[in-house]
Amino acid sequence: MKVLVIGAAGMVGRKLVAALLAAGQVGGQPIGQLTLADVVAPVPPASTIPITALAVDLSAPQVAEQLVAERPDLIFHLAAIVSGEAEADFEKGYRINLDGTRHLLEAIRLAGQGAPYRPRLVFTSSIAVFGEPLPEIIGDTHHHTPLTSYGTQKAICELLLADYSRRGFVDGVGIRLPTIVVRPGKPNKAASGFFSGILREPLSGQTAILPVADNVRHWFASPRAAVGFLLHAAAMDTALLGDQRNLSMPGLAATVGEEIAALERVAGPEATALIQRVPDETIVNIVAGWPKAFEASRAKSLGFRGDASFDDIIRIHIEDELGGRVG
C-alpha cells in the first residue's frame, strides 16, 4: 500500500505518521511506501518503510498532480490554515483551505482517466461547519450554518468530497474533528487555542491567558483520539456510509470551568492558579457561535471511539508530551 499524508508536519500529522509506522499496515494491508508532504518539509522518522518527505504548497499549480503521480492508495488530507488565521486573512484561507482541496480532488479525478484509480481519501473537516442557531446537542442530520470563513471553507470541501465520491472519482471519508486538546508545542493562530493553553501552560509551570468566561461550553477530543479517528476512517467499510460521506466525530462536551476543575483534580490548585482571565471580545464573539455538543451517533455506530473523560485527556497529554511529569 502506498500512503500519502498531506499536512504531515503538523501536530496531528506527526502523530498519525508515528502511528502508521508503528502499525506498519492499514486494514491488514502492509504499508510499502509513505510520502509526507507539507509547506515545511516533514522530518521523516527512522523506519524500514521507504519514506519520501516533500516541502510543497498544495494550493500551488501542479503540486496536487505531483503528489498523486505515484497513485497512492490511501491519502490523508490534513493540510489547512486554522480558524483565526483564515478569518484574519480571507484570501489565504480560501486559497489554502478550499483551492488546495479542490486541486487535490481534481488531480485524483484526472489521474483516473487513463487507468482506473479510486484512492481512499480521509479529509479532516471541522465542527466549525456548524453555527448559530444551534440546538444544545447537534444531531447527525443538522444542516451546515457556518459563521466563519474557516467553517465555510470546510463545509464547501465536505460537499466536494461527497460529490467526487458519488461520481466514483474517490473513496472519501470526511471526519469533523472536535477541538483537539491538549495541543502540544507553541500556541497557533486558532481562535480555539486557549482551550489547550489553559491546560498546557499550567502543566508546564507557565502562566496561561483565558479570554472567555468559565461557562463557555465546547466539544473536545485528545490528539490520541484524533489519530484513532483517522486510522479507523482509513480502514472502515465505506459502503456503510452510502452518499453521506462526512461524519461528526465523538467527543466530550465540557465548559471552560469543567476543564479547569479537571486540571485541578489531575495537577492540583497550583496549576489552576496560573490561569489569568483577560477577556478578548474578538475571540468571545467567534466562540459564541460555535457548537457545544454532538450526538455523534452515526460515527459511534460505525466504530469511531472518543475519550472517556476530561481527566483522561489531561493525563494523555502528561503521558505523551511531558514524560509523565507535571511542572
Side-chain angles (χ1 to χ4, degrees), residues 235-296:
M236 71 178 293
D237 179 4
T238 52
L240 300 173
L241 293 174
D243 290 328
Q244 305 301 313
R245 290 282 174 156
N246 299 284
L247 297 160
S248 296
M249 291 293 100
L252 287 171
T255 65
V256 168
E258 288 167 342
E259 270 194 87
I260 294 170
L263 177 63
E264 183 160 329
R265 285 193 298 271
V266 174
E270 59 273 21
T272 55
L274 292 169
I275 299 172
Q276 296 182 0
R277 288 165 171 79
V278 182
D280 183 321
E281 286 305 311
T282 299
I283 295 178
V284 168
N285 291 333
I286 291 175
V287 173
W290 284 354
K292 299 174 177 62
F294 289 79
E295 289 179 359

Side-chain angles (χ1 to χ4, degrees), residues 149-168:
S149 294
Y150 175 77
T152 301
Q153 292 146 17
K154 289 291 189 179
I156 296 170
C157 291
E158 285 192 12
L159 293 172
L160 289 171
L161 182 73
D163 195 40
Y164 277 68
S165 296
R166 180 184 64 84
R167 295 294 299 267

